[in-house]
Amino acid sequence: MVEIALRVVLLGVIPGNRRPTTAMAWLLAVFLVPSVGFVLFLLFGNFRLSRRRREQQEQVNDRVRAGTSALADVVSNYSGPEWVTSAGELNRRLGSLPMVDGNSVELIPGYEESIKAMAEAVRGAKKFVNAEFYIMSSDSVTDELLTELENAAARGVSVRLLFDHIGTLRIPGYRRLVRRLKGGQIQWRRMLPLLPIHGQWRRPDLRNHRKILVIDGEIAFTGSQNLIEPSYNNPKHRRAGRKWVELMARMEGPIVATLNVVFATDWLSETDESLENQLQVAVRATPGRITAQVVPSGPGFVTENNLRLFNTLIYSAQHRISICSPYFVPDDSLLYAITTAAQRGVDVELFVSEKGDQFLVHHAQRSYYEALLEAGVRIYLYRAPYVLHAKHFTIDEEVAVLGSSNMDMRSFSLNMEVSVMLLGAEAVDSMRSVESSYREMCRELTLEGWLHRPMLAKYVDNVARLTATLQ
């Protein structure tokens, strides 16, 4: 009787404010194994942050709107297609941050090269350094950057550092990193800490997945890369020759201040310290010609900002879409947008890893290949043992987007992410050069070849697909 009552109650609770596919997956778990399904739902069913953190997010959004409203009409003189301007207005309403002109953007596809570039920028810091990364490690590759952060703090620069608690905790060397940070003058905090003994509890798989580095409000880095050596300190990966392939961007101009707003939001959430003096988006010198816009997203927002932007841009494409995502597990809306684009004659290509680093996600991703290939999407598999971890896409000759967000339901609903929309042919051409280098490292998947894969592989892919909706 208890199990029947539980099923009846959850039948009216679980579907509330969830995608039908997600609700059905949870209901299936509860109906098949009621006690286990119910416990899992209690642990993982709520993707919202705490009320306190949501209220903080809303307060910071209000401050951002107040600080940037005066720039809304005067900062951006972008004169491209109306659909791009419309996407920018969508971003402004959802994430509170404006499009800003006059930025320079340098893409850095080299793994160690990007860390060296960040270390060099920190070496020149005079006022403050704000660093936020999903995963951090103290190892042979990151040591130069960590040393420069320590040196900056020692010479009086205000250095603030954030890393995701669970994301970093599961990496070998976590205790060594914490000891190092405690021994220096860097101000640091864990993001979304899961420490029940200290009263810090939340859904265990919520993550702050952002990667941001801001120096003096003048230089910023963002993209897909974590601060860790390219095999993730994993002996198994090293033996297999498996390394992560990333893309970071070094930026100057007004876009730096808006990236710093995202950091200030997360710092406030973890410390209750307001970086009020850093929230103003000041009019600065214009070191470049690129118009750009920062798009924050995650459980702290009411809407799925990144998903709405991605769908808007993909539906607007007229000629070409190139997508790179290490974890491509789309919801129905994104899958329809991409396949519809291909069916209406847009050239669509997707870059993914030949062999993923996460078993269930990789096999769930594979379950979408048939629908994509049938629609006319060209799929390029980045050859193993490398893991193509870069996250970006281009639309026609008008828009490039890069950042921390994957094209999967975790990034749309569970992770706190940051993306940057870059406008104009200069930005797109730079991104297309990176995409071309990927193509040389890939083999193309064909529909005929895919349909003839072993039946066991199809079975595993389809079962893994069920797990993608449990959010």
Side-chain angles (χ1 to χ4, degrees), residues 324-328 351-353 356-357 361-362 365 387-392 405-407:
C324 178
S325 180
Y327 312 118
F328 183 82
F351 296 93
V352 291
S353 296
D357 63 304
V361 176
H362 181 64
Q365 172 176 291
V387 175
L388 184 58
H389 193 249
K391 312 156 198 300
H392 51 84
S405 180
N406 300 304
M407 284 194 173

Side-chain angles (χ1 to χ4, degrees), residues 101-120:
D101 297 336
N103 304 285
S104 68
V105 179
E106 176 192 357
L107 299 181
I108 310 175
Y111 197 105
E112 296 189 16
E113 287 78 0
S114 70
I115 293 181
K116 289 183 178 297
M118 287 187 276
E120 181 181 353

Side-chain angles (χ1 to χ4, degrees), residues 348-367:
V348 183
E349 59 183 359
L350 172 66
F351 296 93
V352 291
S353 296
E354 182 177 50
K355 183 175 177 58
D357 63 304
Q358 298 184 25
F359 180 85
L360 282 177
V361 176
H362 181 64
H363 282 278
Q365 172 176 291
R366 285 161 47 101
S367 73

Side-chain angles (χ1 to χ4, degrees), residues 439-454:
R439 204 174 290 108
E440 294 174 1
M441 292 291 294
C442 291
R443 67 177 179 90
E444 185 172 359
L445 188 65
T446 65
L447 178 60
E448 181 180 1
W450 186 244
L451 292 177
H452 285 86
R453 73 191 192 282

Side-chain angles (χ1 to χ4, degrees), residues 20 37 43 87 125 134 160 178 186 227 243 248 289 348 356 381 386 400 452:
L43 287 173
Y134 172 55
R160 296 178 175 88
V178 171
I186 296 172
L227 292 188
K243 295 182 178 182
M248 293 291 282
R289 298 173 296 179
V348 183
L381 304 179
Y386 294 98
H452 285 86

